Amino acid sequence: LEAPGIYVFGELLDMPAVRELADSEFSPVFRLLTIFAYGTYADYLAEAANLPPLTEAQKNKLRHLSVVTLAAKIKCIPYSVLLEQLQLKNVRQLEDLVIEAVYADVLRGSLDQRNQRLEVDYSIGRDIRREELSTITRTLQEWCQGCEVVLSGIEEQVSRANQHKEQQLALKQQIESEVANLKKTIKVTTAAAAAATSQDPEQHLTELREPAPGTNQRQASKKTSKAKGLRGSAKIWSKSN
């Protein structure tokens, strides 16, 4: 019981030679081993008169196991509870015991001196009584059911996400198709409008070169009259001279 690093004793209790101690004159030793496996320091004190005395090393190991038992029920253990359960005189002894348990890798956590409590992050597992197996099984079943509910919820969310993705993809394809059809319509309409309003370049040049009917005759008559007027005026000027 004093061996460092040994905090599990279930294998010893399963040995036939050890089980025979329960019905022999060494039954107090068997009972003490049972307390180290499943009990606490308070359990030992309740039966101390009928059990072998403990050395200081054994007391500290049983106190470590008692802290582990408390940590399984509550993660923030007040100093007052620890002092009562471990039967320690002051906070200094309690903190030294907890630090010793941390170095032994029995538990991990921190001492909150301001709020006077031990905050446990991790603790080792203790031996399990056979009568506790049904409770553990029920707890695991409830945990499995909870996992199934969570998994079902995740699958439902994934299904909804996939449906939304398909709808968005279909909408995108529809919009792209409508845009393509609209571009085709605009292109055809623009080409038809251009064909209806545009002229043949050669015909346009011909129209620019050939004036409209009647235009040349008027221009020619104007030129002729001007020429006659100039000649007449020239003759009049020569006679006067």
Side-chain angles (χ1 to χ4, degrees):
L1 298 178
E2 293 183 1
I6 299 178
Y7 289 89
V8 179
F9 306 93
E11 296 181 357
L12 293 175
L13 292 173
D14 290 336
M15 297 177 62
V18 176
R19 286 201 303 266
E20 292 177 357
L21 295 176
D23 299 326
S24 67
E25 57 180 336
F26 300 102
S27 59
V29 177
F30 180 82
R31 176 56 185 162
L32 180 62
L33 181 60
T34 304
I35 291 176
F36 269 82
Y38 310 118
T40 62
Y41 188 70
D43 295 332
Y44 170 78
L45 294 179
E47 304 180 34
N50 301 320
L51 298 176
L54 298 179
T55 63
E56 287 300 320
Q58 291 172 343
K59 288 180 181 179
N60 288 337
K61 178 177 287 190
L62 190 54
R63 284 174 174 139
H64 294 168
L65 293 172
S66 301
V67 176
V68 172
T69 300
L70 289 172
K73 301 176 182 178
I74 180 173
K75 296 302 180 183
C76 293
I77 311 173
Y79 278 8
S80 58
V81 175
L82 292 170
L83 290 172
E84 180 182 358
Q85 293 292 321
L86 305 180
Q87 290 295 302
L88 295 173
K89 296 179 180 180
N90 51 55
V91 174
R92 177 62 181 273
Q93 290 181 349
L94 174 61
E95 292 180 345
D96 290 342
L97 180 74
V98 172
I99 294 173
E100 182 182 331
V102 171
Y103 277 108
D105 203 22
V106 175
L107 58 88
R108 299 172 191 167
S110 59
L111 293 169
D112 187 352
Q113 295 179 337
R114 175 178 297 180
N115 296 314
Q116 294 289 290
R117 64 186 182 183
L118 169 63
E119 298 180 356
V120 180
D121 298 328
Y122 159 82
S123 62
I124 63 173
R126 297 199 62 182
D127 294 296
I128 301 172
R129 299 177 185 270
R130 294 186 181 274
E131 54 268 23
E132 295 176 350
L133 293 177
S134 59
T135 303
I136 296 174
T137 302
R138 183 172 61 254
T139 302
L140 292 175
Q141 289 176 348
E142 293 175 355
W143 179 77
C144 290
Q145 292 175 357
C147 291
E148 291 177 357
V149 172
V150 173
L151 181 60
S152 177
I154 294 174
E155 290 177 350
E156 183 178 355
Q157 292 180 2
V158 171
S159 177
R160 290 179 181 177
N162 290 334
Q163 291 178 359
H164 180 71
K165 180 180 178 181
E166 292 176 357
Q167 292 175 357
Q168 292 297 319
L169 182 60
L171 179 61
K172 179 181 178 181
Q173 292 176 350
Q174 180 182 357
I175 293 174
E176 290 178 351
S177 177
E178 292 178 356
V179 170
N181 293 334
L182 184 61
K183 288 181 179 179
K184 290 181 181 179
T185 302
I186 294 174
K187 185 176 181 180
V188 172
T189 304
T190 304
T197 56
S198 64
Q199 295 179 345
D200 186 6
E202 295 182 358
Q203 181 180 358
H204 183 65
L205 290 175
T206 303
E207 291 178 354
L208 292 176
R209 292 169 184 170
E210 296 179 0
T215 303
N216 293 337
Q217 294 179 0
R218 288 194 297 269
Q219 292 177 352
S221 61
K222 289 180 179 180
K223 291 179 180 181
T224 304
S225 62
K226 287 181 179 180
K228 290 181 178 180
L230 290 173
R231 288 194 205 79
S233 61
K235 291 180 180 181
I236 294 172
W237 180 77
S238 60
K239 286 180 180 183
S240 62
N241 291 337

